[in-house]
Amino acid sequence: MVQAPARTEQDATAALLADRYGRRTAGGGRRLRARILIAALAVAGIAVLAWIAVDMFAPSVESRDVGFHVVDSESVRVTFDVTKPAERSAVCTLEALSTGYGQVGLLQVEIGPQVADTVRITAEVATSEEATTGLVRACTFTD
């Protein structure tokens, strides 16, 4: 019969500590995965915050409709304000609509560098039938 080897002093100490403080669980891998997940979420959160901050402080171009005047059945005159950094260029898309809100005219107006940040522009949009309104659809930077 084979007899088990006697416990060494180290085994005895380990057994004494385990009795006193409890056995070590196999959760070490779980803790490591949790730490990695938390770190990844923190990095992703910081990246999203950085993206939002950059987007928030980036220069923008904004437009505001001032008015319109239906000239005749073939055109409408649109007046609008554009606010952008004075040194930048932009393009604004003007739209003429019919009584059923169908698009009857479209015009892109280029606005180059100006002296002031806000400029008032009036442009005439050619229409395929009589328009009942004229407005700015959108403005974007070209440079």
Side-chain angles (χ1 to χ4, degrees), residues 74-76 78 93-98 102-108 125-131 133-135 137:
E74 296 178 345
S75 65
V76 63
V78 180
T93 304
L94 306 181
E95 189 173 33
L97 302 176
S98 68
Q103 184 184 77
V104 294
L106 193 69
L107 176 68
Q108 289 193 330
V125 181
T127 61
S128 58
E129 62 183 72
E130 187 169 14
T133 189
L135 51 93
R137 180 194 286 175

Side-chain angles (χ1 to χ4, degrees), residues 60-64 80-84 92 117 136 139 141:
S60 64
V61 58
E62 296 176 10
S63 64
R64 185 176 68 85
F80 60 101
D81 290 339
V82 176
T83 302
K84 64 177 185 55
C92 292
D117 286 349
V136 180
C139 292
F141 286 118

Side-chain angles (χ1 to χ4, degrees), residues 10 23 69 77 91 99 104 111 120 132 143:
Q10 192 175 28
R23 300 232 177 257
H69 172 68
R77 190 172 296 129
V91 64
T99 55
V104 294
I111 303 145
R120 180 161 289 177
T132 55
D143 54 1

Side-chain angles (χ1 to χ4, degrees), residues 34-50:
R35 287 181 182 159
I36 290 172
L37 179 64
I38 290 169
L41 289 174
V43 167
I46 290 170
V48 167
L49 287 175

Side-chain angles (χ1 to χ4, degrees), residues 105-125:
L106 193 69
L107 176 68
Q108 289 193 330
V109 178
E110 293 187 25
I111 303 145
Q114 303 288 325
V115 177
D117 286 349
T118 301
V119 292
R120 180 161 289 177
I121 307 225
T122 300
E124 198 163 306
V125 181

